[in-house]
Amino acid sequence: MSTEADAVSGAELDAELAELLDVETFEPPAGFREQALLKDPAVYEQAASDPQAWWVAQAEELDWFQKWNRVLDDDDPPFYKWFVGGSLNVSYNCLDRHVIAGLGDRVALHWRGEDGQERDIAYAELLAEVERFASALKDLGVQKGDVVGIYLPMIPEVVVAMLACARIGAPHNVVFGGFSAEAVRERMEFSQAKVLITVDGAARKGKTAPVKDRVDEAMGDLASLEKIVVVKSKGIPCQMREGRDVYYEDILAAADPACPAEPLDAEHPLYILYTSGSTAKPKGILHTTGGYLTGVSATHRYVFDLKAESDVYWCAADVGWVTGHSYIVYGPLCNGATSVMWEGAPDYPNKGIWWEIVERYGVTILYCAPTAIRACIKWGAEWPGKHDLQSLRLLGSVGEPINPKAWLWYHKVIGGERCPIVDTWWQTETGAIMITPLPGITATKPGSATQPFPGVFAEVLDESTGEPVEEGQGLLVLTHPWPSMLRTLYKEEERFIETYFKRFGRDIYLVGDAARRDRDGYIWVIGRIDDVVNVSGHRLSTAEVESAIVAHAEVAEAAVIGQHDEDTGQAIVAFVTLQGDIQGDDGTVEGIRETVSGRIGKFARPKRIIWTGDLPKTRSGKIMRRLLRDIAEGRALGDVTTLRDPAVMQQLEDQVKELRAEEE
Ligand code: PRX
């Protein structure tokens, strides 16, 4: 099979991309616009003139056991409530109602294992397994309101587990499979989880990594954790603790096959998802039921222009991040979509696996992160060129700013210049996509997330005056509440207010990103303003990594910054002072990386470690990260006069130069 990508390669492709760089905007292709669910730009004005009516129309697409009596309770900002008095169930909306409508045979998930194994799971089958597992959770003593931890790889059981929790009103706390067992323990402890659902082992590029055994080592005797459920995924024998550990398959077989969905208040907690903030302690983002489902289903439908009867949708994220929660599980299933779920990495068994999957299942909508696109660019257009990608009609990007070159490559090589690209900006906190093109309406500009979704209000505020910026750079804020917004930080109400609603008051949500508005009012998200770094779309706090590094026995002090990186967007650079006279060598570097792996996860390992006798500090002892960033980026140093010991900077500059020379 051949596509346009075959014909263009190397220098020729570069030249064509360079030409495209001169094109400022890309109108929706005419054929696409005609067929689009939303094609009239008046939708923006309509939603802006009466946002509550717009969101009500979206909420009415769901099945409610009982309708709300008030759309928005904004009496006590920032503690907003949506669809007050309403009752519904998320798993009912994602499963039962489709089966009742006669769509039980429709494939919900085309699952593909790393070893090539395939499972097509229809809506009726998924419902049956979810009901059984929901009954099994009840048998284990899980009650409405109890927190259930989930630490699973990309296997169908992770979807079953999440929906089973939603069915009985037990908020889940999913931990991304790339986090270490230590990180899982911390999250279980913070959320006081009663049960943890995990797996015997996980596929890792042709090998199997044990998971349950590592969980055991970390979990020790965490008092709140009463049960551990183990999915037999890879057939690895596990140590099972009597009275605490049970196999998923065993409890499923013994469970009542019927478990009707529990009617839940619209504001009942659906899940907690821990994400990085400015301090070492992760924040437990709390999402609730009615508003969240309204937001994710509406955005999934309109941003991806979903035609559930014919589309094959693939969000190539991991279910352990918010993208997976909202756009692998809740949005698509609520909309009755057919999705693809891939267990493995993008480069195993070969670098063309994604494109093989697109061809195999006839994927029409692909949603992924710029990091993945940049990796594909590096691997070469010949990999997608080996496959027929004609089924694709829409492409999405999420997680970090997409550089124009990657956008154009995606547009040309993957999209064959016929697929609109939706660059979607949002966060764990926002629950759903907030700034994005509407593919049948918006003219896109490579690198800009364009406009707020209808019913969402975003502004760029001047950093010093707090006034809206018409054209220029400032702080991104959301000025009206929206249904899928976080309701609080789990057990940390003060921190919730402090982090998001202090700077500009209780009714303006501070995003934490800097952004630019251009003369057409388009928004260009630049990056974080706090100490959060974004490595391959994975959100990490510098403080979190620092505290992992100082856990290494030989380390006295560490400061971590995010440095611009061609491949991963940002990379972690650590400036480290060792204890006493210890001299750092390759072994110490490896040791530090191992410590970070164990405490957080492999993806948090510093790319570069720079030894330093001291860190640049103010006279009051505060580390001046700004200077470290200047050094790492090779920029002229800013003001150093407030430093306790300005000589430190010279030593550091020399070190960095030396390291650069070595790397080259
Ligand atoms: O800095 C923004 C960046 O990712 C942050 C949110 O990270 P997280 O909560 O992990 O959610 C990621 C998936 C939604 C944002 O504050 N970000 C996300 N999407 C974009 C982006 N930056 C630029 N453009 C985007 N499309």
Side-chain angles (χ1 to χ4, degrees):
M1 283 295 162
S2 74
T3 66
E4 290 91 320
D6 245 356
V8 286
S9 60
E12 206 181 325
L13 179 57
D14 280 348
E16 293 192 27
L17 292 180
E19 245 168 61
L20 284 175
L21 266 177
D22 294 334
V23 182
E24 258 215 4
T25 56
F26 291 77
E27 292 291 338
F32 189 99
R33 189 194 296 253
E34 280 153 27
Q35 306 288 325
L37 292 179
L38 291 180
K39 44 179 167 277
D40 183 357
V43 67
Y44 284 106
E45 288 98 74
Q46 279 160 12
S49 67
D50 191 349
Q52 290 195 23
W54 161 261
W55 289 119
V56 161
Q58 308 315 318
E60 278 170 348
E61 295 285 324
L62 307 178
D63 266 30
W64 294 77
F65 295 128
Q66 189 177 331
K67 276 279 162 76
W68 53 91
N69 48 43
R70 189 175 176 192
V71 179
L72 169 65
D73 173 350
D74 54 1
D75 296 346
D76 181 24
F79 299 99
Y80 297 99
K81 297 190 183 90
W82 282 86
F83 309 115
V84 183
S87 106
L88 74 166
N89 184 287
V90 167
S91 105
Y92 183 91
N93 274 278
C94 290
L95 301 168
D96 306 56
R97 67 167 173 155
H98 305 316
V99 175
I100 292 167
L103 302 173
D105 291 338
R106 181 182 287 173
V107 173
L109 293 176
H110 290 294
W111 181 80
R112 167 118 160 190
E114 202 194 74
D115 59 1
Q117 192 197 335
E118 293 181 308
R119 273 179 74 185
D120 282 350
I121 304 168
Y123 272 93
E125 267 175 84
L126 191 56
L127 171 60
E129 184 143 336
V130 167
E131 283 205 68
R132 267 190 186 273
F133 191 53
S135 297
L137 285 176
K138 281 187 180 170
D139 295 343
L140 290 181
V142 178
Q143 291 175 357
K144 183 172 150 184
D146 287 340
V147 176
V148 173
I150 299 179
Y151 181 49
L152 288 171
M154 291 288 284
I155 54 175
E157 288 77 5
V158 70
V159 180
V160 174
M162 289 165 77
L163 291 168
C165 288
R167 197 162 187 87
I168 61 174
H172 54 68
N173 173 7
V174 178
V175 183
F176 166 54
F179 272 114
S180 67
E182 271 296 323
V184 180
R185 184 201 153 99
E186 187 183 59
R187 283 155 179 74
M188 294 305 112
E189 200 174 335
F190 292 159
S191 65
Q192 292 289 293
K194 198 165 174 180
V195 172
L196 172 65
I197 305 160
T198 188
V199 71
D200 53 357
R204 291 265 189 285
K205 299 195 186 184
K207 300 200 184 84
T208 302
V211 176
K212 165 67 165 65
D213 289 357
R214 287 196 292 118
V215 165
D216 275 350
E217 282 165 27
M219 223 50 71
D221 44 10
L222 189 59
S224 50
L225 195 69
E226 294 173 13
K227 297 279 176 197
I228 298 186
V229 180
V230 184
V231 178
K232 288 183 194 169
S233 170
K234 299 289 171 241
I236 312 181
C238 304
Q239 292 278 347
M240 300 292 278
R241 191 196 285 181
E242 185 71 36
R244 188 194 65 178
D245 302 349
V246 289
Y247 279 115
Y248 174 89
E249 291 73 9
D250 296 346
I251 57 170
L252 210 61
D256 186 340
C259 180
E262 175 93 21
L264 297 170
D265 189 272
E267 285 297 334
H268 187 78
L270 176 63
Y271 67 79
I272 306 162
L273 183 58
Y274 281 87
T275 189
S276 297
S278 290
T279 65
K281 188 172 182 233
K283 304 185 285 198
I285 307 296
L286 182 83
H287 282 296
T288 59
T289 300
Y292 175 79
L293 198 63
T294 300
V296 297
S297 61
T299 49
H300 181 258
R301 185 165 51 246
Y302 294 130
V303 174
F304 299 109
D305 186 51
L306 183 82
K307 318 279 174 22
E309 40 323 319
S310 53
D311 273 318
V312 178
Y313 163 86
W314 184 18
C315 168
D318 191 285
V319 86
W321 301 103
V322 76
T323 308
H325 283 53
S326 299
Y327 298 107
I328 293 178
V329 182
Y330 294 119
L333 292 174
C334 185
N335 289 337
T338 294
S339 298
V340 168
M341 187 172 179
W342 160 237
E343 185 184 30
D347 59 350
Y348 184 88
N350 60 61
K351 297 183 169 78
I353 184 64
W354 271 24
W355 318 116
E356 184 185 326
I357 291 173
V358 168
E359 181 175 357
R360 168 90 179 104
Y361 300 105
V363 172
T364 57
I365 304 167
L366 175 67
Y367 189 33
C368 67
T371 293
I373 300 162
R374 287 193 298 267
C376 291
I377 297 177
K378 225 164 137 178
W379 299 334
E382 60 271 25
W383 289 103
K386 288 179 193 163
H387 297 277
D388 181 356
L389 309 181
Q390 286 296 326
S391 58
L392 288 170
R393 65 178 196 92
L394 177 67
L395 303 174
S397 167
V398 59
E400 41 175 330
I402 178 163
N403 44 312
K405 190 175 168 206
W407 195 103
L408 291 168
W409 192 92
Y410 199 26
H411 168 72
K412 184 162 182 66
V413 179
I414 306 304
E417 294 186 61
R418 68 180 181 278
C419 306
I421 296 183
V422 287
D423 173 0
T424 62
W425 174 89
W426 59 295
Q427 312 176 290
T428 308
E429 290 87 338
T430 67
I433 294 168
M434 295 281 107
I435 303 179
T436 176
L438 286 176
I441 298 178
T442 316
T444 50
K445 301 188 189 188
S448 169
T450 73
Q451 308 277 352
F453 185 76
V456 173
F457 297 79
E459 298 260 18
V460 174
L461 300 185
D462 184 279
E463 205 164 336
S464 41
T465 63
E467 292 299 316
V469 173
E470 280 310 311
E471 192 186 332
Q473 194 172 321
L475 304 178
L476 185 63
V477 296
L478 300 173
T479 56
H480 289 50
W482 64 99
S484 65
M485 67 193 294
L486 79 166
R487 296 303 194 260
T488 190
L489 293 181
Y490 193 61
K491 298 191 174 170
E492 292 188 295
E493 218 139 78
E494 268 312 304
R495 191 177 176 198
F496 168 65
I497 299 171
E498 182 85 16
T499 311
Y500 308 105
F501 294 99
K502 193 153 171 226
R503 177 117 185 207
F504 297 112
R506 290 201 168 206
D507 43 16
I508 296 193
Y509 170 83
L510 179 73
V511 159
D513 282 345
R516 182 167 69 80
R517 246 177 86 103
D518 71 14
R519 75 183 102 89
D520 302 322
Y522 276 46
I523 294 173
W524 301 70
V525 176
I526 296 166
R528 305 288 309 185
I529 51 164
D530 50 11
D531 292 321
V532 170
V533 282
N534 193 327
V535 181
S536 303
H538 296 161
R539 190 167 149 176
L540 281 162
S541 93
T542 51
E544 212 173 347
V545 182
E546 282 163 9
S547 78
I549 294 176
V550 297
H552 185 280
E554 293 179 347
V555 173
E557 203 174 25
V560 163
I561 57 154
Q563 183 184 27
H564 174 75
D565 187 274
E566 283 252 331
D567 300 329
T568 57
Q570 284 190 297
I572 289 188
V573 178
F575 294 83
V576 175
T577 308
L578 294 172
Q579 309 258 10
D581 299 331
I582 299 175
Q583 294 293 313
D585 57 19
D586 288 353
T588 334
V589 169
E590 255 335 286
I592 290 174
R593 289 198 175 128
E594 276 303 302
T595 310
V596 175
S597 268
R599 295 240 156 187
I600 306 174
K602 271 194 180 159
F603 65 93
R605 283 179 305 188
K607 181 160 180 181
R608 290 192 189 82
I609 292 180
I610 297 165
W611 307 122
T612 171
D614 198 359
L615 289 164
K617 290 183 194 139
T618 60
R619 288 189 194 94
S620 60
K622 210 170 160 270
I623 296 172
M624 293 189 72
R625 276 170 228 280
R626 175 175 58 77
L627 293 177
L628 294 175
R629 277 193 285 264
D630 287 345
I631 282 201
E633 303 286 0
R635 282 192 296 258
L637 291 182
D639 183 11
V640 295
T641 51
T642 51
L643 282 182
R644 194 169 59 190
D645 176 11
V648 170
M649 293 312 290
Q650 191 54 53
Q651 288 161 18
L652 272 177
E653 272 192 308
D654 294 346
Q655 272 260 201
V656 171
K657 274 192 203 129
E658 217 171 280
L659 198 73
R660 280 240 170 80
E662 267 172 36
E663 280 176 2
E664 275 160 17

